[in-house]
Amino acid sequence: MRKILVTGGAGFIGSNFVRMALAEHPDCFVVNLDKLTYAGNLENLAGFENHSNHKFIKGDICDGSLIERIIDEFKIDSIINFAAETHVDRSITEPKIFIETNVAGTLTLLEAARDKKLNRFIQISTDEVYGALGPEGKFTENTPLSPNSPYSASKASADLLVRAFGHTWGVKYNITRCSNNYGPYQFPEKLIPLMLNNALNDKDLPVYGDGLQIRDWLYVYDHCTAVWKVLTETRPGEIYNIGGCNEKTNIDIVRLILNRLDKPESLIKHVTDRPGHDRRYAIDASKIIGQLKWRPSVSFEQGLNKTIEWYLASRKWLENVVSGDYQKYYDSMYKNR
Ligand code: NAD
Ligand code: DAU
C-alpha cells in the first residue's frame, strides 16, 4: 500500500486530489495535514472524513517534529506538498506569511523527507514562477524563473530549495508547475468563483484594469490526475508543466459566466489594476503529454459548465465560506479600487 502525506488537503486542489486518490486508487493511504487557514475547509472533504484510507490531522507544515512523527507513525513513503498561501493579491498586502509557509514550510518538509529517506517528494508549484509572457510563446520547463509577485517569488524560492535538496542530499523529488485551476471547492477570492458568487448575488464584478490579461485554465480534476501520474510513473528530478491549452482573457471568462447565469453585463465594473499584474501565462505541456500520456479529460466549456453547476448546487457551501472574515476581507480589498 502506498502511504502518502498530502499537505494542504483541505484546500481547493488538495481536497480534489484527496477525493480522487481515495475514489480511484484503493491501494493508497492518505494522511492529510492541513492548518485550516481561511482557505482550508473540512467541508471540502465531506463524505471522505471517515474513509478507512484517510486520516486528517490539523497542523502546520512548519512544525518539523509533527512531520517526523507523522512519517514514523503512518510509515509514510511520499509527500505531496499542496499546502501554501496562494492568493497573489494577499501576497501584495501581507507578504510575510507567504515566506513562512511557502518557503520555511517547504524547507521543513524537505528536511523530514531527507532525514526519513522518503521515496518521493512532490512539490506543487505554479506557472507564475516563470514570470509573464508577451503575446507570443509559452512557458516550457526550461524557461528561466522570473517571478514577479511576492507569492510567485515564494513559490520560486521553494522550487530552488527542492532542487538544492535533490542535488545536495539526493532527495528524490519532482516539481509540477501548473496553470490556473478551476472547479469545485475553490475559495471565492479567486477569479471564477468570485465572479460566480457576485453574479449570483447581483453584486458588481470587479475586473482588474482592462480585463485583457490572459490565463491558461485547467479543470482541477485534470490537474489531480497529472499529479498522480507524476507520483507513480516518473523518475526523480523531473519537472513537469501542467496546463490545459485554454488561454482566455479575464473579461471573456466574466462574460461567459454572466451569460450562463443569465445576468446583465452591466454588472461588470473595471477597477484599479493589480500592482505588477502579469499580463499573460501560457503553458507548454508537451513534456507530460508525451512522456506520461496525460490528457485533460474535459474541454474548457465542459469544465466551466460542470463548475457552474457545482456552485449552483452548493449554495450552502458558498454561504458558509463567504460569511465572517471573508466578507471583511472583500470589503477592504474592493472598497477603494
Ligand atoms: P488553497 O489556498 O485553496 O489551499 C491551501 C491549503 O493549504 C489550505 O487548505 C490551507 O489551510 C493549507 N495551508 C496553508 N498554510 C498551511 C500551513 N502552514 N500548514 C499546513 N497547511 C497549510 O490553494 P490551492 O489553490 O488549492 O493551491 C494548492 C497548491 O497548488 C499551492 O501550492 C499553489 O501554489 C498551487 N497552485 C495553485 C493553482 C491554482 O490555480 N489554484 C495553480 C498552480 C499551482
Ligand atoms: O497561474 C497559477 C496561479 O493561478 C496559482 O499559482 C495561484 O495560486 C492562483 O491564485 C492563480 O493566480 P492568479 O493571480 O492568476 O489567480 P486569480 O484568480 O487571483 O486571478 C486570475 C486573473 O483574474 C488575474 O489576471 C487577476 C484577475 N482578477 C482576479 C480577481 C480576484 C480580476 O480581474 N478580478 C478579481 O477580482
Side-chain angles (χ1 to χ4, degrees), residues 73-90:
E73 183 180 340
F74 295 95
K75 302 192 169 38
I76 296 294
D77 52 63
S78 314
I79 294 178
I80 309 179
N81 182 27
F82 290 94
E85 289 293 333
T86 61
H87 192 35
V88 173
D89 292 321
R90 289 184 192 248

Side-chain angles (χ1 to χ4, degrees), residues 160-289:
L160 294 178
L161 280 172
V162 173
R163 183 182 175 282
F165 268 66
H167 187 81
T168 308
W169 289 289
V171 168
K172 295 181 200 152
Y173 74 87
N174 296 102
I175 298 172
T176 62
R177 297 188 178 133
C178 189
S179 58
N180 286 60
N181 284 218
Y182 67 101
Y185 301 104
Q186 187 167 29
F187 192 82
E189 67 186 350
K190 307 282 166 62
L191 181 75
I192 289 181
L194 185 147
M195 298 301 170
L196 271 170
N197 183 41
N198 284 17
L200 287 171
N201 292 297
D202 298 307
K203 284 166 64 174
D204 286 345
L205 272 50
V207 171
Y208 298 168
D210 60 11
L212 296 177
Q213 305 84 1
I214 292 176
R215 297 292 182 264
D216 181 356
W217 294 91
L218 179 68
Y219 191 60
V220 64
Y221 172 81
D222 291 331
H223 183 190
C224 296
T225 61
V227 171
W228 185 265
K229 274 186 170 281
V230 171
L231 174 72
T232 56
E233 297 179 23
T234 56
R235 51 168 200 240
E238 295 291 334
I239 296 174
Y240 289 95
N241 282 352
I242 308 171
C245 251
N246 286 305
E247 287 186 55
K248 304 273 176 223
T249 62
N250 295 336
I251 193 77
D252 280 349
I253 300 263
V254 171
R255 288 199 181 111
L256 281 171
I257 291 171
L258 286 171
N259 185 277
R260 176 70 173 72
L261 297 181
D262 211 11
K263 298 282 183 178
E265 291 200 3
S266 56
L267 286 176
I268 295 174
K269 185 179 172 208
H270 287 270
V271 299
T272 310
D273 209 348
R274 174 185 279 172
H277 200 168
D278 286 339
R279 194 68 178 166
R280 173 172 169 255
Y281 303 143
I283 279 276
D284 177 346
S286 52
K287 180 176 175 186
I288 192 166
I289 290 170

Side-chain angles (χ1 to χ4, degrees), residues 295-308:
R295 296 273 183 291
S297 67
V298 290
S299 66
F300 180 72
E301 197 189 352
Q302 290 167 325
L304 189 64
N305 278 338
K306 278 157 91 90
T307 304
I308 294 175

